[in-house]
Amino acid sequence: MLFKTRSAAVYGIDAHIIDVEVDFSGVKLDQENFSTVGLPDAAVRESRDRVRSAIKNSGFDLPPTRITINLAPADLKKEGSGFDLPIAVGILGAYGGLAIKDVSDFVMVGELGLDGSLRAVQGMLPIAVAARAAGIRNLVIPAANAREAAVVQGVNVYPVNSLLEVRELLNSAELGGITATPLAVDTQALLSDVQEYQADFRDVRGQHVAKRALEVAAAGGHNILMIGPPGSGKTMLAKRLPSILTPLRFEEALETTKIHSVAGVLNKDEGLVTHRPFRSPHHTISDAGLIGGGMIPRPGEVSLAHNGLLFLDELPEFPRNVLEVLRQPLEDGTVTISRAAMSLSFPARFMLAAAMNPCPCGYYNDKSRDCMCTPPMIQRYVAKVSGPLLDRIDIHIEVPAVQYKELRSGTAAEGSAEIRARVLAARERQHARFLESGARTKGSSKSASRAVFSNAQMSTQQIRVHCELASEAERLLERAMQQQGLSARAHDRILKVARTIADLDAANGIEVRHIAEAIQYRTLDRSYWA
């Protein structure tokens, strides 16, 4: 007898519906013969032992016979333990253990324990999206994954804890209608929760220029590099940057959650990433760890920081080959990983914050201590950060050592709440401007339209529309381009930063003072990398 169920497989951050076909011969054998076809990996092939024990320990008696399981389409690689549940349900249906004969309106995913209990699997949010796109109304999944999948509207999510619960749910659908209530999640309530940050800019003494630069970076989503001696507060400033970032919009939250779900780092109690990610990998990370990789590619740190912040402390200590792979995601906002079996793309639109010392000893140009490094040593040290990578960082600032009087001052510094209010106001102006002009840009991964949420994400066409300059500002920018030898990319990034500074000032147009401040943020690379 043949019985069909439906499941899903995740590739990249998208899922595909998989048909699970179970056939048994009906002829009793001395020993059970269990085979799985359709390009299964080791975890799928091992499911036969988990499924057999789970069915027997749930109270069902299966006579030994030949069972063939086909995962269609057969030309797609199947991996993971999420096929346990649909295989078990297919076997029960084939043996007549279910009252329902057609379960085509159910997608089932979950790993089975030997006692018949269900465990969570990765990538449930993309699976829920794929089920909705395929017009399948019901999703039967482990309770631990339920909040994640319930974020998707238009799909009935039924959380279950065991194989017996699944059987009762399916039989109730046949005998009189499902009586269980699908789980519902209020996404707007989740996104409206205000996150409390332990780290606050009120703790930072002095460094007014650095605070201003971080405010500009947060308001426009710009990349920023901080250079200064040890103990000047670079790391302290960077760790407080998330406290002034804007909240995620629902479209951003959904895309970020898909990546975290596939990577297996999503908090099961939340179900939705409601706050911008902050990733700070150690400088011993590999290029695959930063960008992503594997036989079946998995997202790396740049994708986990999508719509959030990636902080690289001690930038020159990262291997050069690791830093150089940042070029494409900084420019395109996506990462494409190609393998012999497949090629997958992951979103990687993140804000980069980096910190470094000016030399190996750390005290080059420091007024309080003498630098012990020779010029060749300094050049070798800063040359670890290449010119092309530096050109993709919008804001370069120097963070000098804090003076004693500022350190011991009793005057209260401005807190994150005040700075964040200005950042939010600037972002609202940007959102209204892009919404009015219908701002869209082509995505690199699927040639689809992609919303623009900040000034840093503007395309060349949008820069020409939204960054028009008066004659005086035009002359100032021209002079800076000629004197500093700036590239065309630097020209566009200066305009983006100037547009953000104008938004912070609530100005409709870019004025001379806005261009002047944006140019000042591009001068350090000419002193250290000259």
Side-chain angles (χ1 to χ4, degrees), residues 22-37:
V22 179
D23 178 75
F24 83 103
S25 64
V27 179
K28 289 187 177 181
L29 305 175
D30 295 336
Q31 186 176 358
E32 187 178 82
N33 191 316
F34 197 118
S35 61
T36 304
V37 296

Side-chain angles (χ1 to χ4, degrees), residues 151-414:
V151 170
V152 180
Q153 302 295 322
V155 178
N156 299 322
V157 177
Y158 295 102
V160 289
N161 293 297
S162 67
L163 183 59
L164 286 175
E165 286 187 28
V166 177
R167 178 176 179 267
E168 293 174 4
L169 177 71
L170 295 176
N171 285 341
S172 67
E174 177 69 16
L175 299 177
I178 299 176
T179 56
T181 303
L183 180 67
V185 173
D186 188 350
T187 56
Q188 293 303 320
L190 288 175
L191 291 173
S192 63
D193 288 342
V194 178
Q195 185 173 6
E196 297 294 333
Y197 293 94
Q198 298 296 325
D200 194 286
F201 272 101
R202 199 178 303 278
D203 305 328
V204 181
R205 300 293 179 178
Q207 304 297 7
H208 302 294
V209 175
K211 286 183 180 179
R212 168 64 177 177
L214 289 171
E215 179 181 338
V216 173
H222 303 290
N223 305 320
I224 184 169
L225 171 64
M226 295 176 284
I227 305 175
S232 60
K234 303 184 297 296
T235 304
M236 187 178 187
L237 286 163
K239 288 185 176 179
R240 281 151 180 77
L241 188 53
S243 66
I244 63 172
L245 295 178
T246 58
L248 285 168
R249 299 186 182 275
F250 179 71
E251 297 85 355
E252 294 177 298
L254 194 64
E255 196 172 32
T256 305
T257 304
K258 288 174 71 175
I259 299 171
H260 286 233
S261 174
V262 169
V265 297
L266 183 65
N267 188 336
K268 65 179 181 180
D269 296 327
E270 294 180 356
L272 184 72
V273 176
T274 57
H275 304 287
R276 296 193 181 274
F278 177 78
R279 307 293 299 186
S280 180
H282 193 260
H283 58 74
T284 55
I285 190 172
S286 66
D287 51 356
L290 188 63
I291 295 298
M295 290 292 293
I296 295 183
R298 288 284 183 259
E301 289 292 332
V302 296
S303 295
L304 294 174
H306 180 62
N307 290 323
L309 177 65
L310 177 67
F311 175 48
L312 302 182
D313 202 1
E314 305 296 344
L315 189 65
E317 301 302 328
F318 284 80
R320 186 181 177 93
N321 67 301
V322 173
L323 293 180
E324 292 309 300
V325 297
L326 283 173
R327 292 192 198 178
Q328 185 207 352
L330 283 174
E331 195 72 21
D332 299 336
T334 58
V335 170
T336 301
I337 303 172
S338 298
R339 297 291 181 266
M342 64 183 66
S343 179
L344 298 176
S345 293
F346 297 102
R349 285 198 297 180
F350 57 91
M351 175 183 165
L352 174 66
M356 62 176 287
N357 297 327
C359 65
C361 77
Y363 295 102
Y364 177 65
N365 278 346
D366 187 54
K367 297 178 181 178
S368 60
R369 295 185 59 172
D370 293 331
C371 175
M372 305 302 294
C373 305
T374 63
M377 291 171 61
I378 297 173
Q379 285 301 311
R380 282 195 300 270
Y381 184 76
V382 298
K384 294 179 180 178
V385 182
S386 68
L389 177 61
L390 192 69
D391 204 35
R392 288 167 167 82
I393 300 178
D394 307 12
I395 300 174
H396 314 148
I397 59 168
E398 193 163 13
V399 185
V402 183
Q403 299 300 316
Y404 179 80
K405 289 183 179 180
E406 292 180 325
L407 196 61
R408 298 296 298 168
S409 174
T411 305
E414 190 177 34

Side-chain angles (χ1 to χ4, degrees), residues 30-203:
D30 295 336
Q31 186 176 358
E32 187 178 82
N33 191 316
F34 197 118
S35 61
T36 304
V37 296
L39 286 183
D41 73 344
V44 179
R45 288 193 297 270
E46 289 174 354
S47 66
R48 61 178 179 270
D49 299 315
R50 293 190 297 270
V51 167
R52 184 190 300 112
S53 298
I55 290 176
K56 290 183 178 179
N57 290 327
S58 296
F60 301 99
D61 185 21
L62 299 180
T65 185
R66 178 176 178 80
I67 300 175
T68 303
I69 297 168
N70 179 44
L71 307 177
D75 59 342
L76 289 178
K77 181 76 173 177
K78 319 300 187 310
E79 67 163 357
S81 55
F83 292 100
D84 289 3
L85 179 59
I87 289 175
V89 171
I91 292 175
L92 291 178
Y95 275 100
L98 296 177
I100 189 171
K101 302 303 179 185
D102 182 11
V103 292
S104 60
D105 207 22
F106 292 84
V107 169
M108 290 170 276
V109 183
E111 177 186 336
L112 282 172
L114 299 185
D115 59 350
S117 62
L118 281 171
R119 298 190 178 99
V121 296
Q122 299 176 4
M124 196 57 71
L125 179 58
I127 291 172
V129 173
R132 182 181 64 182
I136 304 174
R137 296 179 300 169
N138 304 309
L139 190 60
V140 182
I141 59 174
N145 290 125
R147 289 185 62 82
E148 173 188 347
V151 170
V152 180
Q153 302 295 322
V155 178
N156 299 322
V157 177
Y158 295 102
V160 289
N161 293 297
S162 67
L163 183 59
L164 286 175
E165 286 187 28
V166 177
R167 178 176 179 267
E168 293 174 4
L169 177 71
L170 295 176
N171 285 341
S172 67
E174 177 69 16
L175 299 177
I178 299 176
T179 56
T181 303
L183 180 67
V185 173
D186 188 350
T187 56
Q188 293 303 320
L190 288 175
L191 291 173
S192 63
D193 288 342
V194 178
Q195 185 173 6
E196 297 294 333
Y197 293 94
Q198 298 296 325
D200 194 286
F201 272 101
R202 199 178 303 278
D203 305 328

Side-chain angles (χ1 to χ4, degrees), residues 454-498:
S454 65
N455 286 334
Q457 298 171 0
M458 286 192 294
S459 66
T460 304
Q461 294 83 359
Q462 291 156 4
I463 292 173
R464 292 173 181 170
V465 173
H466 301 302
C467 300
E468 293 183 355
L469 299 179
S471 57
E472 292 184 8
E474 190 79 52
R475 286 195 296 270
L476 178 60
L477 180 57
E478 182 183 1
R479 226 171 21 247
M481 291 285 295
Q482 293 174 352
Q483 291 175 358
Q484 298 184 27
L486 298 174
S487 66
R489 181 185 289 113
H491 167 270
D492 287 353
R493 291 181 182 268
I494 287 174
L495 289 176
K496 292 178 183 180
V497 173

